[in-house]
Amino acid sequence: SFDLPGLSVEAAGEGFDQVKFDLELNLCEHGEEIAGTLGYASALFDEATIARQRGYLLTLLRAMVADAGQPIGRIDILPADERRYLLEELNRTQAPYPSDQCIHELFEQQVQKA
């Protein structure tokens, strides 16, 4: 607070809880510890996405502390279940198709539909 002659000044509240960028990571040292905040634009990200990103960051930092000499590209930040989902579940793209038609006929049918 500060005093000005003839003027009463007081805090108006906590201020706005806004970020300047879509995703912000702020870190600072507190003695022997590093503390930080992760801010995000809630119009672009949901809480679950940010929680996942936070987990990736913590995994990366823990691995770096465990072995500071390892290349970052070798650090696996994905949990096993998420890795399986991304690599296996999302890549299951097999679909039945009519084996009695040629590819150009299937293409022509799709053109007519669209």
Side-chain angles (χ1 to χ4, degrees):
S1 65
F2 57 93
D3 295 319
L4 296 173
L7 185 62
S8 174
V9 179
E10 62 184 63
E14 293 294 318
F16 296 105
D17 188 19
Q18 293 183 344
V19 292
K20 294 178 184 176
F21 304 100
D22 295 344
L23 187 61
E24 294 179 353
L25 174 64
N26 297 300
L27 300 171
C28 61
E29 291 184 56
H30 290 286
E32 294 293 316
E33 295 181 347
I34 297 175
T37 59
L38 187 59
Y40 62 95
S42 57
L44 300 175
F45 301 102
D46 61 11
E47 193 171 339
T49 299
I50 296 303
R52 252 190 348 271
Q53 296 293 325
R54 178 185 171 271
Y56 302 153
L57 177 61
L58 290 175
T59 300
L60 177 68
L61 293 174
R62 287 183 182 120
M64 290 170 67
V65 168
D67 181 4
Q70 69 180 315
I72 290 179
R74 291 194 182 156
I75 298 174
D76 188 9
I77 63 171
L78 291 176
D81 59 335
E82 187 174 355
R83 174 175 290 285
R84 184 189 52 72
Y85 172 73
L86 292 172
L87 295 178
E88 296 174 17
E89 297 291 325
L90 292 181
N91 281 316
R92 288 196 180 127
T93 57
Q94 289 182 335
Y97 66 93
S99 59
D100 60 330
Q101 291 181 294
C102 294
I103 189 71
H104 74 279
E105 294 170 323
L106 295 172
F107 183 82
E108 289 169 352
Q109 288 176 3
Q110 184 61 37
V111 167
Q112 289 176 356
K113 288 179 188 177

